[in-house]
């Protein structure tokens, strides 16, 4: 308790000294996450101000910055996992201004009341120190919370799941904490626990033993017999062969897929080119194609070249009988062809004489 000044002194000189003595000097919540949480024996609460009892309603309304609500959570925390972290997150966020202390039981106490652990106490302490929600770690925490322990660490509330925890000859080790109104429940995370993780390891023991043998651990380190070691190594070789076969199959499938894809593209291009070729062929040689039109034009020109030209209508007509048009002098009579060259020459001379007479 603070020592007050004598009554003879004035109130003005007493009040500042009393207020300074009554200020809380409890450790404040961590503001940075660049360093691990300290241990309790390194930064114990030496606050000289009276640690007034708080109700849950008062704590939820918020407390002064220099008076955080001191929440305590304890456990074994073996194989620290997300279920542990979520429980500590709930304990940290129960109140607006809280300071979370986490108690971790030692190996001797844990092996006595619960059983053998995978991680030793030093590893479990360090795991808690590096959790972002933890402000302080209490090593070698008691199995059952005593009033002396609660007073020493100035604990306001204890956070734990509400399932009765029977141990050390008690149906619920938190029963007296609940009766004192200092217990605040948290929710368990379903599907994850230390026992679940150990069960998986035991169930898949062969798989993990083979994996560690493959990574360089000896059979002695894994407590594996000579026969089992040979069996595991043989299974590892078989698995490697299966993996190689699987890789070859996958590469073969990939190659076939690429060939099919390329062949599909080639067929598609060939179809496009064939359609283009057929269209060009029909356009050139079809019923109405360019070749037919060109052929017709050339045929017309040839016929026009071989056929005689007609005289124009306005040309003067010669004095000939209208009933019979004279034949050209070079046209021979089809009925009586000349019998000999002499006869042919005689006919030509007579035709020339006839022309002279006409002139």
């Amino acid at each position: 308790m603070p020592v007050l000044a004598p009554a003879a002194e004035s109130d003005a000189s007493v009040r500042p000294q009393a207020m300074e003595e009554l200020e809380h000097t409890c450790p404040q919540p961590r503001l940075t996450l660049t360093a691990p949480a300290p241990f309790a024996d390194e930064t114990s609460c030496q606050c000289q101000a009276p640690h007034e009892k708080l109700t849950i309603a008062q704590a939820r309304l918020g407390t002064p910055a220099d008076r955080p609500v001191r929440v305590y959570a304890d456990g074994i925390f073996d194989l620290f996992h997300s279920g542990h972290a979520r429980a500590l997150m709930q304990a940290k966020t129960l109140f607006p201004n809280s300071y979370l202390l986490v108690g971790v039981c030692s190996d001797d106490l844990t092996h006595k009341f619960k059983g053998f652990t995978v991680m030793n106490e030093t590893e479990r302490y360090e795991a808690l120190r590096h959790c972002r929600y933890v402000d302080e770690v209490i090593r070698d925490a008691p199995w059952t919370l005593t009033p002396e322990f609660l007073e020493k660490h100035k604990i306001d509330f204890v956070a734990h799941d509400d399932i009765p925890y029977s141990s050390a000859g008690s149906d619920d080790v938190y029963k007296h904490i609940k009766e004192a109104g200092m217990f605040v429940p948290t929710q368990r995370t379903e599907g994850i626990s230390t026992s679940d993780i150990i069960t998986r390891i035991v169930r898949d023991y062969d798989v993990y033993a083979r994996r560690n043998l493959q990574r360089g651990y000896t059979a002695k380190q894994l407590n594996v017999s000579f026969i089992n070691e040979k069996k595991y190594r043989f299974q590892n070789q078989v698995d490697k062969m299966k993996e190689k076969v699987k890789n070859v199959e996958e590469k073969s499938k990939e190659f076939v897929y690429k060939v099919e894809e390329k062949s599909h593209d080639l067929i598609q291009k060939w179809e496009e080119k064939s359609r283009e070729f057929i269209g060009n062929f029909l356009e050139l040689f079809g019923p109405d194609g360019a070749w037919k039109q060109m052929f017709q034009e050339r045929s017309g020109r040839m016929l026009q070249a071989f056929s005689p030209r007609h005289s124009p209508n306005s040309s003067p007509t010669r004095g000939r009988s209208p009933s019979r048009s004279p034949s050209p002098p070079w046209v021979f009579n089809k009925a009586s062809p000349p019998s000999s060259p002499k006869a042919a020459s005689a006919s030509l001379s007579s035709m020339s004489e006839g022309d002279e007479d006409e002139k």
Side-chain angles (χ1 to χ4, degrees), residues 329 346-359:
S347 62
L348 286 174
S349 62
S350 62
M351 288 173 62
S352 61
E353 292 176 358
D355 291 337
E356 289 177 357
D357 294 338
E358 287 181 1
K359 290 180 181 179

Side-chain angles (χ1 to χ4, degrees), residues 37-45 99 101-102 136-139 153:
F39 290 116
D41 51 6
E42 296 175 353
T43 172
S44 57
C45 183
Y99 185 89
L101 301 94
V102 179
E136 186 176 314
V137 176
I138 302 176
R139 292 179 286 193
H153 296 282

